[in-house]
Amino acid sequence: MRITVDQSRCQGHALCAMHAPELFDLDDGGHAVVVADLVPGGLDEAAYMAEAGCPEEAITVGPRRRAHAGQARS
Ligand code: F3S
């Protein structure tokens, strides 16, 4: 599972870093930085909570991109 933060939307509310410090840090300007863009096992719920809790909807949590998408057809 992958996390991204849209820096153009982040306003530095810091809820993500408070609730999921294993996944988010804040830069010098107070904006969110993803610590591990691939969510470690057991932190899925924390990632979804951060996504839902961001007032600016700056966080997106989605499935891991397939390395070989399109090669499964035969
Ligand atoms: Fe930014 Fe949202 Fe976190 S505004 S600091 S991504 S809670």
Side-chain angles (χ1 to χ4, degrees):
M1 199 160 66
R2 181 176 293 275
I3 302 175
T4 56
V5 174
D6 182 343
Q7 295 296 329
S8 70
R9 298 182 74 112
C10 176
Q11 297 297 312
H13 293 288
L15 299 174
C16 54
M18 283 193 295
H19 294 300
E22 308 90 347
L23 301 175
F24 300 93
D25 200 354
L26 300 176
D27 67 15
D28 291 342
H31 296 97
V33 176
V34 177
V35 174
D37 61 2
L38 292 180
V39 178
L43 294 177
D44 292 11
E45 190 66 24
Y48 284 124
M49 293 284 284
E51 180 184 42
C54 176
E56 306 297 333
E57 298 183 354
I59 298 169
T60 302
V61 178
R64 187 183 308 198
R65 217 180 293 158
R66 286 188 193 169
H68 301 290
Q71 293 184 359
R73 293 182 193 161
S74 58

